[in-house]
């Protein structure tokens, strides 16, 4: 029974990390499109990744429920399954927002100069770091890394969101003809902010799970 539980948890760990890596791939595609000015097909590529994430969500959900029903795990193991299970919706929604950002960015790329599009880069860099720190927290049992995800969102991602909102309003006032594109830029900023919020939700669950285990690393986040 113990071997079966360990194998199940290893499988879930791999799939959970793959879900995080899909979000990271979406963010990397968005960042690369901005850096190189190649936006054609961005919506399709981010959508394909989002579909893969949806498939993984269903598979992980089924695995969690089957393991709980079949093995009736003890409290320590049950906490792991519940942490993963409760995080699925947030990871799926993060993928949705990645797709939305890719779609909106491709739509407005032909309207705005490179300046407004460059506004997205700081947030994509922060989101990539958050995903990487979250994966590290999960695999290494590092509470501080999970808390770093939360700090980055509260202190930096939210501030950049407010900045992008103000920039969108300024563009509308300066050139009302760009209203629709500016509204899409504002929606894109909101999607970036919401993606960060869902990562924070997962980080909070990872933190709570890790703190329930003996010997959790609670110092400064490692490099």
């Amino acid at each position: 029974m113990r071997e079966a539980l360990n194998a199940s948890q290893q499988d879930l760990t791999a799939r959970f990390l793959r879900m995080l890596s899909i979000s990271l791939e979406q963010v990397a595609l968005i960042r690369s499109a901005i850096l190189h000015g190649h936006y054609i097909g961005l919506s399709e590529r981010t959508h394909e990744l989002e579909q893969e994430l949806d498939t993984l969500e269903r598979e992980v959900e089924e695995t969690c429920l089957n393991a709980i029903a079949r093995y009736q795990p003890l409290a320590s193991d049950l906490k792991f399954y519940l942490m993963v299970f409760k995080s699925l919706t947030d990871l799926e929604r993060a993928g949705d927002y990645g797709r939305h950002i890719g779609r909106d960015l491709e739509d407005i790329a032909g309207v705005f100069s490179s300046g407004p599009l460059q506004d997205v880069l700081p947030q994509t860099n922060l989101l990539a770091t958050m995903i990487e720190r979250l994966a590290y927290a999960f695999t290494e049992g590092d509470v501080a890394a999970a808390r770093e995800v939360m700090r980055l969102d509260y202190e930096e991602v939210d501030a950049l969101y407010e900045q992008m909102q103000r920039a969108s309003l300024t563009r509308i006032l300066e050139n009302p003809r760009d209203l629709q594109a500016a509204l899409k830029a504002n929606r894109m900023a909101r999607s970036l902010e919401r993606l960060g919020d869902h990562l924070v939700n997962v980080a909070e669950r990872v933190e709570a799970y890790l703190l329930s285990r003996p010997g959790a690393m609670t110092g400064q986040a490692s490099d």
Side-chain angles (χ1 to χ4, degrees), residues 16 19-20 53 57 60-61 64 79-95 134 138 198-207 209:
F16 189 88
M19 293 179 79
L20 284 173
L53 199 150
E57 180 199 17
V60 171
E61 178 179 335
C64 283
K79 289 176 182 177
F80 172 82
Y81 286 106
L82 291 178
M83 181 268 293
V84 171
F85 183 79
K86 291 179 179 179
S87 297
L88 291 177
T89 299
D90 284 299
L91 292 177
E92 187 272 335
R93 290 299 294 149
L134 182 54
F138 180 73
H198 286 291
L199 294 176
V200 167
N201 290 344
V202 178
E204 289 174 345
R205 293 192 189 94
V206 171
E207 178 197 34
Y209 166 68

Side-chain angles (χ1 to χ4, degrees), residues 35-85:
L35 288 173
H36 299 100
H38 297 155
Y39 301 98
I40 296 175
L42 181 61
S43 177
E44 180 180 356
R45 294 196 299 274
T46 52
H47 187 204
E48 289 172 352
L49 287 169
E50 186 261 342
Q51 288 180 314
E52 182 182 346
L53 199 150
D54 286 349
T55 299
L56 276 169
E57 180 199 17
R58 292 190 292 270
E59 292 175 355
V60 171
E61 178 179 335
E62 182 178 356
T63 299
C64 283
L65 294 176
N66 286 341
I68 292 171
R70 181 176 181 180
Y71 303 123
Q72 298 182 349
L74 298 175
S76 57
D77 294 308
L78 183 60
K79 289 176 182 177
F80 172 82
Y81 286 106
L82 291 178
M83 181 268 293
V84 171
F85 183 79

Side-chain angles (χ1 to χ4, degrees), residues 33-214:
I34 297 169
L35 288 173
H36 299 100
H38 297 155
Y39 301 98
I40 296 175
L42 181 61
S43 177
E44 180 180 356
R45 294 196 299 274
T46 52
H47 187 204
E48 289 172 352
L49 287 169
E50 186 261 342
Q51 288 180 314
E52 182 182 346
L53 199 150
D54 286 349
T55 299
L56 276 169
E57 180 199 17
R58 292 190 292 270
E59 292 175 355
V60 171
E61 178 179 335
E62 182 178 356
T63 299
C64 283
L65 294 176
N66 286 341
I68 292 171
R70 181 176 181 180
Y71 303 123
Q72 298 182 349
L74 298 175
S76 57
D77 294 308
L78 183 60
K79 289 176 182 177
F80 172 82
Y81 286 106
L82 291 178
M83 181 268 293
V84 171
F85 183 79
K86 291 179 179 179
S87 297
L88 291 177
T89 299
D90 284 299
L91 292 177
E92 187 272 335
R93 290 299 294 149
D96 287 346
Y97 283 115
R99 172 172 59 87
H100 296 163
I101 296 162
R103 177 198 62 202
D104 289 340
L105 190 57
E106 184 173 352
D107 285 347
I108 67 177
V111 177
F112 286 145
S113 63
S114 62
L117 302 179
Q118 295 288 325
D119 292 345
V120 178
L121 275 178
Q123 265 188 307
T124 59
N125 291 335
L126 283 170
L127 290 170
T129 299
M130 289 169 65
I131 296 168
E132 290 168 353
R133 298 311 291 164
L134 182 54
Y136 182 86
F138 180 73
T139 55
E140 299 298 326
D142 194 324
V143 174
R147 290 173 178 167
E148 179 71 0
V149 174
M150 303 174 210
R151 186 196 67 77
L152 287 171
D153 185 70
Y154 300 149
E155 295 183 7
E156 300 189 45
V157 172
D158 288 350
L160 286 171
Y161 167 60
E162 296 295 334
Q163 180 180 318
M164 290 180 69
Q165 276 196 318
R166 290 193 297 270
S168 293
L169 179 59
T170 299
R171 292 186 193 104
I172 292 172
L173 295 175
E174 290 178 349
N175 191 351
R177 290 176 299 177
D178 287 342
L179 174 62
Q180 292 302 316
L183 289 175
K184 284 186 178 181
N186 186 67
R187 183 173 65 187
M188 184 170 60
R190 179 62 175 167
S191 293
L192 287 161
E193 189 268 342
R194 289 297 296 147
L195 199 163
D197 286 346
H198 286 291
L199 294 176
V200 167
N201 290 344
V202 178
E204 289 174 345
R205 293 192 189 94
V206 171
E207 178 197 34
Y209 166 68
L210 294 177
L211 288 175
S212 72
R213 300 165 56 195

